[in-house]
Amino acid sequence: MTGKSDVPAQYEIYAIRYGINPRRTRGQNFILDARPDEPLTLDFYSWVLIRRGEVIVVDTGMNPAFAEKHGHDMLMSPIEALKALGVRPDAVETVILTHAHYDHLGHLDAFPNARFFMQAEEMNYVTGPYMEKRWFRRAYEPDEITQLVRLLHDGRLELHGRDREIADGVTVHWVGGHCAGQEIVRVRTARGWVVLASDALHYYEEYERGVPFAVAFNLSDMITAHDRIRELADSDDHVVPAHDPRVAGIYPPASQELDGKVVRVDLAPVKSMDSR
Ligand SMILES: [Zn+2]
């Protein structure tokens, strides 16, 4: 038997660098950093997994109005990036939402035929008593949370438990920390298991030094998430943070036209750790 079903599903993974904040400092990014005034650019990514005709979108980028409100610059529309990759947003059937912060939840309307997947714990969090506290609600936009409620009542949002298989070769795993329902995405690729850490890691530096990012719900979950990431990824070179400019610097571009904008993280990094 050499049927197709014998071959494990392997995905291509495209990381779309749709935004940037070059004015960000280390002190805004890391708690009690030794050099708080030093600049440390924050990039913004969303992702798409592609396998033959199958497409799974992971996070939907940021509404440009909220980018402006929060002081970030848009580099491109993640929706236009999908089109440049040959993906029709209205044909996408599956969207994973790793958490509900505004920079991961824009453009929901661009996917009218999709089913959305998110941690039940995140929905409880964003509609529960923690949102009475400014600290916890500061990275959420109520209009977008309202959209999630609408999708839920339309039967298009599945709120799942902590570990969930979305497709053969694609699983999601709760880690918490950054927010109550933060999850990471494990994807089988030709080079092995890649982990899209989403905001469980904003920067490689958190992972390398074992330090927390400054936007936190639960610090102990945030730090122990690093261990979970190590368990699920085939190596440290298979781990992809959500906001680190190094990602675009070390992975190969999806195409010449998309150089600097979309990189292939299912392929091995083309530059060494030191050049990160
Ligand atoms: Zn984020």
Side-chain angles (χ1 to χ4, degrees):
M1 285 270 293
T2 55
K4 274 183 190 167
S5 58
D6 295 342
V7 181
Q10 296 175 341
Y11 284 82
E12 296 172 358
I13 310 175
Y14 297 85
I16 299 165
R17 180 172 167 252
Y18 70 80
I20 190 168
N21 186 339
R23 297 166 294 280
R24 192 96 173 182
T25 62
R26 293 184 60 86
Q28 289 173 300
N29 289 326
F30 304 125
I31 296 168
L32 296 176
D33 192 76
R35 293 166 282 138
D37 298 328
E38 252 181 47
L40 181 55
T41 293
L42 189 73
D43 272 359
F44 294 80
Y45 295 88
S46 59
W47 307 270
V48 59
L49 321 178
I50 300 180
R51 172 182 174 257
R52 300 191 186 126
E54 202 176 329
V55 174
I56 299 176
V57 170
V58 181
D59 292 347
T60 52
M62 179 159 54
N63 180 322
F66 295 145
E68 194 179 339
K69 172 181 167 185
H70 292 273
H72 312 304
D73 306 333
M74 292 295 285
L75 292 173
M76 69 186 308
S77 157
I79 304 307
E80 293 308 313
L82 288 176
K83 291 177 185 167
L85 292 168
V87 172
R88 278 182 38 214
D90 62 353
V92 171
E93 294 179 355
T94 306
V95 177
I96 295 170
L97 301 172
T98 64
H99 62 305
H101 282 163
Y102 66 83
D103 56 318
H104 298 256
L105 213 65
H107 311 285
L108 293 176
D109 292 340
F111 303 95
N113 298 304
R115 184 166 179 77
F116 294 82
F117 293 84
M118 194 175 79
Q119 292 280 330
E121 223 156 317
E122 182 69 352
M123 195 65 167
N124 294 343
Y125 179 57
V126 299
T127 55
Y130 281 114
M131 294 302 111
E132 294 172 11
K133 313 287 186 195
R134 187 184 300 274
W135 173 269
F136 294 124
R137 68 172 182 255
R138 66 181 167 142
Y140 295 103
E141 284 293 341
D143 286 348
E144 291 180 337
I145 303 308
T146 306
Q147 269 186 294
L148 288 180
V149 173
R150 167 60 66 185
L151 286 169
L152 181 65
H153 284 256
D154 286 347
R156 294 180 54 210
L157 173 60
E158 181 175 325
L159 297 172
H160 54 75
R162 289 192 161 190
D163 298 280
R164 171 77 155 84
E165 183 177 67
I166 303 297
D168 181 22
V170 181
T171 51
V172 293
H173 307 272
W174 175 90
V175 291
H178 178 56
C179 53
Q182 178 69 55
E183 71 180 15
I184 60 179
V185 185
R186 188 184 197 222
V187 186
R188 195 194 289 115
T189 70
R191 70 175 173 120
W193 289 104
V194 168
V195 169
L196 299 176
S198 180
D199 283 7
L201 293 177
H202 288 68
Y203 294 97
Y204 285 111
E205 193 174 335
E206 291 151 55
Y207 191 61
E208 291 159 352
R209 296 173 52 221
V211 297
F213 189 72
V215 179
F217 168 63
N218 180 318
L219 285 183
S220 59
D221 286 341
M222 190 180 265
I223 296 295
T224 51
H226 300 173
D227 299 336
R228 187 72 174 130
I229 291 166
R230 284 197 172 88
E231 280 170 16
L232 293 172
D234 271 7
S235 81
D236 287 352
D237 268 344
H238 290 70
V239 175
V240 182
H243 291 276
D244 197 325
R246 293 182 194 175
V247 171
I250 62 172
Y251 282 100
S255 67
Q256 263 184 348
E257 296 104 66
L258 293 170
D259 195 6
K261 295 174 177 169
V262 182
V263 292
R264 287 274 300 270
V265 300
D266 59 305
L267 302 176
V270 289
K271 291 186 186 159
S272 72
M273 289 280 233
D274 300 339
S275 62
R276 279 180 188 169

